[in-house]
Amino acid sequence: MMRFLGLLGWMGLVKLPPLRDYWRIDALYNIPLARSVMPRNRFELILKFIHFSDNQLAPPDDRLLKIRNVMNKFIHNYKIAYTPGQRVCIDESLIPWRGRLMFRQYIPNKRHRYGIKVFKLCSDRGYTWNLMVYCGKTTDRENSVAESVVMELVDGLLDQGRVLYTDNWYTSVPLAYRLLDRKTHLVGTLRLNRKHLPKEVVGAKLQKGEFAAQETSDGVVVLKWRDKRVVSALTTKHSGLDTVTTTTRRG
């Protein structure tokens, strides 16, 4: 089984069009590694019948029940192999997939528009420390999907003074306060239609090079800056802006 899994990982690095090309012996495709590890017929049989979950014990509402056990094992190994530093980030990626799948996503601005969305927490060096597969809408009505994703991914790294960087899909004022309560800073771009934003900053009319910002007594800074277009951000790491200001880039 370890040889089979090793071959799968290697095939992710060395890509050939059909699976059987890894065992071809002609000059164009002669890669002896696969043949030395396992015969092709045996590999195809394992690939056809491999099964990771007991259907009788798996939760019926878990859309990842077929791979949940092995995925959790991989994530556990990610976490014990490396501890991220102070700066971590959360973003999503799309694994290309056009087959039939209930939670397959269509994202038109991605290179591969159809696939499986994966949320990832990474270190500043690009190491994936935690991940979760998006399987559709959740039943959590108290928190937004983005907020729930962040709190689940960052679990295990809280209360240690880290700084979390996010894009505007995740960043919000409620999330900033939840993270501050766990001694974790938030820095990220921000959508100006979010709730709980200061009206003075949201409604500020800016010329190119000007910015407006406001900081709460708890250290949550909301900033809007105009260059070719408006860029807004939220940070709990940077402070010193205790009033709404409108100023040029030169000060």
Side-chain angles (χ1 to χ4, degrees):
M1 182 56 67
M2 297 303 295
R3 293 189 176 194
F4 172 80
L5 294 176
L7 274 179
L8 282 180
W10 171 72
M11 289 174 179
L13 299 174
V14 181
K15 298 182 183 296
L16 295 178
L19 181 65
R20 295 195 168 197
D21 283 350
Y22 289 99
W23 281 267
R24 288 175 61 174
I25 60 175
D26 59 281
L28 184 61
Y29 291 98
N30 188 11
I31 304 177
L33 178 63
R35 298 196 304 272
S36 66
V37 173
M38 182 181 297
R40 186 195 69 202
N41 290 344
R42 178 172 175 78
F43 182 89
E44 290 180 337
L45 281 173
I46 296 176
L47 186 63
K48 181 178 180 179
F49 293 108
I50 191 169
H51 196 77
F52 295 107
S53 176
D54 186 342
N55 292 343
Q56 302 299 322
L57 301 177
D61 57 343
D62 186 1
R63 294 179 178 176
L64 293 176
L65 64 91
K66 298 292 186 181
I67 63 168
R68 177 70 67 184
N69 293 336
V70 68
M71 188 178 75
N72 288 344
K73 183 64 176 178
F74 273 108
I75 294 174
H76 173 73
N77 288 338
Y78 295 159
K79 293 181 178 181
I80 64 176
Y82 179 76
T83 301
Q86 184 187 30
R87 296 176 296 180
V88 294
C89 69
I90 289 178
D91 204 353
E92 69 274 355
S93 61
L94 198 69
I95 301 174
W97 177 259
R98 283 184 170 268
R100 292 187 300 173
L101 193 63
M102 182 181 298
F103 48 88
R104 186 188 69 174
Q105 298 291 299
Y106 171 71
I107 305 179
N109 60 347
K110 295 288 187 180
R111 180 182 177 185
H112 300 282
R113 291 176 292 177
Y114 293 92
I116 303 169
K117 183 189 289 188
V118 179
F119 300 106
K120 301 168 67 176
L121 184 144
C122 302
S123 71
D124 56 357
R125 295 181 177 272
Y127 181 87
T128 298
W129 189 82
N130 197 3
L131 62 87
M132 61 181 295
V133 178
Y134 179 67
C135 298
K137 294 182 179 180
T138 65
T139 57
D140 186 357
R141 298 182 180 273
E142 183 178 350
N143 304 306
S144 67
V145 175
E147 191 173 336
S148 299
V149 167
V150 170
M151 297 309 296
E152 181 172 342
L153 288 178
V154 81
D155 186 36
L157 298 178
L158 298 170
D159 303 310
Q160 299 174 27
R162 285 187 169 83
V163 182
L164 174 65
Y165 295 86
T166 59
D167 66 22
N168 59 27
W169 190 77
Y170 305 91
T171 311
S172 67
V173 172
L175 176 62
Y177 280 110
R178 287 190 68 180
L179 291 173
L180 279 177
D181 289 340
R182 301 298 303 273
K183 300 179 182 178
T184 303
H185 289 290
L186 175 66
V187 179
T189 54
L190 181 67
R191 297 180 182 179
L192 291 177
N193 59 356
R194 298 286 193 190
K195 296 181 179 179
H196 312 295
L197 299 182
K199 296 180 180 179
E200 297 85 352
V201 175
V202 174
K205 304 298 182 181
L206 304 176
Q207 300 297 321
K208 185 176 181 180
E210 295 180 339
F211 73 89
Q214 187 176 75
E215 180 179 2
T216 69
S217 58
D218 300 306
V220 178
V221 177
V222 175
L223 169 72
K224 184 168 77 170
W225 173 60
R226 185 176 187 88
D227 189 36
K228 292 183 179 179
R229 61 183 180 87
V230 172
V231 178
S232 54
L234 181 150
T235 175
T236 62
K237 176 65 175 176
H238 312 89
S239 61
L241 299 171
D242 54 359
T243 59
V244 176
T245 59
T246 302
T247 182
T248 64
R249 187 186 305 176
R250 297 179 180 178

